[in-house]
Amino acid sequence: AMATPLLATPVAPAPAAATAERPNEKIERTTNADGSLSVKLTTTTPRPNGYREIKIEYFHVPQGAANAVGTALDAGDPPASLYMTKMEQQVLPPGTEEVIGRPPSR
């Protein structure tokens, strides 16, 4: 009898539905020889029509700010926009993989 309430509460499907249209962020960081940070933030945003919008932001964080920014990255926060050096955006049709930086297939 104790297991019945657990089965009756449909909690599992709800988060999946809620995150379907939410952007997915991937943060990659490299510490350079001079102590500065290079950060690449890839944001993939699903569109209702099956397309995906991909935004890649590149950041260069000077050595003096690297510790603070590194702590923020650990918490999942991207670097401040003042450190951004480059941004790329593209929209991928349904069923395609990310094609940024990949050599063309023959």
Side-chain angles (χ1 to χ4, degrees):
M2 295 298 281
T4 316
L6 291 173
L7 296 171
T9 50
V11 286
T19 54
E21 298 302 318
R22 219 181 281 155
N24 170 31
E25 288 188 350
K26 186 174 82 174
I27 298 177
E28 299 164 74
R29 73 176 114 173
T30 307
T31 303
N32 301 310
D34 63 358
S36 64
L37 275 183
S38 294
V39 181
K40 179 179 163 191
L41 172 65
T42 306
T43 307
T44 305
T45 308
R47 296 278 169 238
N49 58 8
Y51 282 74
R52 286 175 302 154
E53 184 180 303
I54 296 182
K55 181 173 71 174
I56 300 182
E57 296 163 275
Y58 297 90
F59 301 87
H60 182 80
V61 182
Q63 184 255 324
N67 277 347
V69 171
T71 303
L73 291 174
D74 291 338
D77 298 323
S81 56
L82 68 101
Y83 299 124
M84 191 188 300
T85 56
K86 190 169 71 158
M87 184 171 92
E88 300 170 359
Q89 274 185 296
Q90 71 182 88
V91 176
L92 297 182
T96 54
E97 294 300 315
E98 293 182 30
V99 292
I100 296 170
R102 189 177 296 172
S105 54
R106 291 177 219 184

